[in-house]
Amino acid sequence: MDVTESIRYIGTDDKTIDLFESQYVVPKGISYNSYLIIDDKTAVMDTVDLRCTDEWLNNLKDKLNGREVDYLVVSHVEPDHSGSILRLIQLYPNITLVGNQKTFGMLKQFFKVDLENCTLEVKEGDTLSLGSHTLKFYMAPMVHWPEVMVTYEQAEKVLFSADGFGKFGALSEEDDDWACEARRYYFNIVGKYGAPVQGLLKKLSGLDFKYICPLHGPVLKDNLSYYINLYDTWSSYKPETKGVFIAYASIHGNTAKAAEKFAELLRANGEEKVVVTDLARADIAEAVEDAFRYDRMALAAASYDAGVFPCMQEFLNHLQAKAYQKRKVALIENGSWAPTAAKAMRGMLEAMKEMEIIEPVVTIKSSLDDNSGKQLEELAKSVIK
Ligand code: FEO
């Protein structure tokens, strides 16, 4: 798993965490990546979550082979990467922490640690020589948090990309489809910050990479343009895949039936990719991912308390928080006496940027009948158009 002979992997897998960041299910766990560069000076690139400190220190000592740690580069202070810093400082009291203007204040906030005389503050474009390896630092504010920076190692052309290009899933788990869990990770964790990601991609566009080393997920080595192009698509809020994502919020099953009927109509009319999700039971992070992935979305929801059924409201709140934009959306509402779901959904969607509601909006009274069935057929044609 080492990157090169002198850039070694010392990270850890966490396969017992119940929820990453206390909100994301990670059925295949997560990796906290950390790297050791061995040269005249040694540099550790980030630490790991406190949950894995002992294992990580064993990895580090093993690869250090008796040497000291000269530098710790802190790309990101979030505790899944900074959690083991105090233990590292205790073990290697002569270490120098490398960070930017925002890094050390934040570290003090988290760990109440005195960092006098053990820090090196770097800014955009600064370099640090380790011997034959040279680290060049690029600030990446809000590519998750404000203090984030990425590091380019010039000799072996390695980008240490912080959370960028990360994914859910432990490294020991088989995973042939990088994009699936990388997309769920991106849109839920970094998705709101498309503009900063675009800025970073532009900044790095002149560099020649052979490896991208993120803080989660595998080291990327081959066909790097595939990953970079996906990040460009995702961060510019462009759809990745032509298709319709149908998300429904059904109380007693009638709205679910309408959503399934709508999927059938779309397929019958030639739509090749149609994905249906039950918001009451689905992983909401996966639903957010799919909403961003496809170029069109259809929302089918029951009315509730003069608004919309709560799991749909929650889903739309998530989309709004992640800066969902530039999409076409079809609306199907259900209501037994005073349907209100469409109005509530429309209001939330219209507060987002560059959204288009596909007409007609379909209203179902309790369960599908001839009239609402015809509306559904008309809507399917409009969605395909
Ligand atoms: Fe993996 Fe933003 O921490």
Side-chain angles (χ1 to χ4, degrees):
M1 277 207 293
D2 290 334
V3 186
T4 67
E5 214 174 302
S6 47
I7 303 182
R8 319 295 292 269
Y9 182 81
I10 54 169
T12 56
D13 275 353
D14 186 350
K15 289 161 82 165
T16 57
I17 192 166
D18 59 342
L19 292 172
F20 179 65
E21 288 188 0
S22 295
Q23 56 176 327
Y24 301 113
V25 294
V26 282
K28 292 188 170 180
I30 184 101
S31 69
Y32 310 117
N33 296 348
S34 169
Y35 307 88
L36 170 67
I37 307 177
I38 303 169
D39 203 322
D40 296 342
K41 299 282 185 186
T42 60
V44 170
M45 308 301 289
D46 295 287
T47 76
V48 301
D49 195 284
L50 201 50
R51 292 169 52 82
C52 298
T53 306
D54 290 336
E55 184 189 341
W56 171 72
L57 283 174
N58 284 339
N59 294 346
L60 171 63
K61 284 181 202 158
D62 182 44
K63 306 248 164 147
L64 272 172
N65 207 10
R67 291 189 56 184
E68 290 286 302
V69 179
D70 297 302
Y71 296 105
L72 168 69
V73 175
V74 184
S75 305
H76 185 14
V77 179
E78 192 163 12
D80 50 332
H81 310 296
S82 65
S84 303
I85 287 182
L86 287 187
R87 288 279 299 279
L88 188 70
I89 298 175
Q90 281 159 5
L91 271 174
Y92 301 99
N94 297 321
I95 195 170
T96 297
L97 270 54
V98 182
N100 58 63
Q101 196 222 338
K102 298 193 180 94
T103 311
F104 304 116
M106 223 180 237
L107 277 179
K108 282 182 201 160
Q109 285 175 194
F110 271 106
F111 302 110
K112 311 292 179 268
V113 60
D114 178 10
L115 296 171
E116 284 300 303
N117 306 319
C118 72
T119 60
L120 173 64
E121 188 178 306
V122 294
K123 55 185 187 325
E124 179 78 16
D126 281 357
T127 56
L128 173 65
S129 172
L130 303 175
S132 63
H133 293 82
T134 301
L135 305 180
K136 187 164 184 175
F137 303 100
Y138 295 88
M139 301 303 116
M142 299 321 295
V143 179
H144 199 204
W145 279 21
E147 86 301 354
V148 172
M149 61 183 195
V150 303
T151 304
Y152 180 63
E153 196 294 300
Q154 296 177 329
E156 302 201 76
K157 303 185 191 309
V158 180
L159 177 70
F160 296 93
S161 59
D163 275 341
F165 301 97
K167 73 183 274 297
F168 297 124
L171 296 186
S172 57
E173 291 282 336
E174 289 277 318
D175 192 357
D176 295 334
D177 183 2
W178 179 87
C180 180
E181 283 293 69
R183 190 189 297 106
R184 188 168 71 100
Y185 177 93
Y186 175 83
F187 282 114
N188 287 281
I189 292 181
V190 194
K192 179 181 168 62
Y193 306 110
V197 174
Q198 280 280 301
L200 180 64
L201 288 176
K202 283 195 181 75
K203 204 187 276 190
L204 301 176
S205 62
L207 297 177
D208 177 22
F209 313 128
K210 276 171 85 174
Y211 307 92
I212 296 177
C213 298
L215 287 175
H216 304 284
V219 171
L220 307 175
K221 297 177 184 168
D222 304 310
N223 194 15
L224 293 184
S225 59
Y226 166 75
Y227 307 101
I228 292 166
N229 288 341
L230 274 180
Y231 254 62
D232 185 37
T233 301
W234 296 344
S235 59
S236 53
Y237 300 99
K238 288 181 196 144
E240 178 188 339
T241 306
K242 184 175 182 296
V244 184
F245 174 54
I246 303 174
Y248 68 80
S250 184
I251 307 173
H252 299 292
N254 289 303
T255 307
K257 273 188 197 149
E260 293 292 356
K261 176 73 190 167
F262 189 58
E264 224 175 81
L265 288 168
L266 289 172
R267 290 183 188 117
N269 279 280
E271 187 69 48
E272 281 174 18
K273 187 77 187 172
V274 181
V275 174
V276 185
T277 290
D278 173 1
L279 290 175
R281 291 164 183 84
D283 166 22
I284 204 91
E286 186 136 0
V288 167
E289 172 198 345
D290 281 337
F292 277 99
R293 177 176 185 174
Y294 296 103
D295 63 327
R296 286 150 297 158
M297 179 166 74
L299 302 179
S303 303
Y304 194 81
D305 284 347
V308 64
F309 196 51
C311 57
M312 177 62 77
Q313 172 132 9
E314 192 198 337
F315 174 57
L316 286 167
N317 283 341
H318 276 273
L319 288 185
Q320 199 164 23
K322 303 303 173 192
Y324 188 68
Q325 55 187 272
K326 299 181 185 163
R327 293 294 189 280
K328 294 176 178 171
V329 185
L331 297 178
I332 300 161
E333 68 173 351
N334 194 351
S336 294
W337 59 97
T340 50
K343 186 172 176 227
M345 292 189 286
R346 184 191 282 271
M348 294 178 81
L349 291 164
E350 284 178 349
M352 301 172 195
K353 274 201 240 167
E354 296 181 52
M355 299 294 290
E356 186 187 318
I357 304 294
I358 305 171
E359 301 292 344
V361 170
V362 174
T363 297
I364 298 162
K365 288 296 201 74
S366 304
S367 65
L368 271 177
D369 59 9
D370 287 349
N371 184 35
S372 50
K374 281 200 186 87
Q375 285 178 40
L376 215 54
E377 282 173 25
E378 209 184 314
L379 182 61
K381 284 181 186 139
S382 302
V383 166
I384 283 169
K385 241 193 281 171

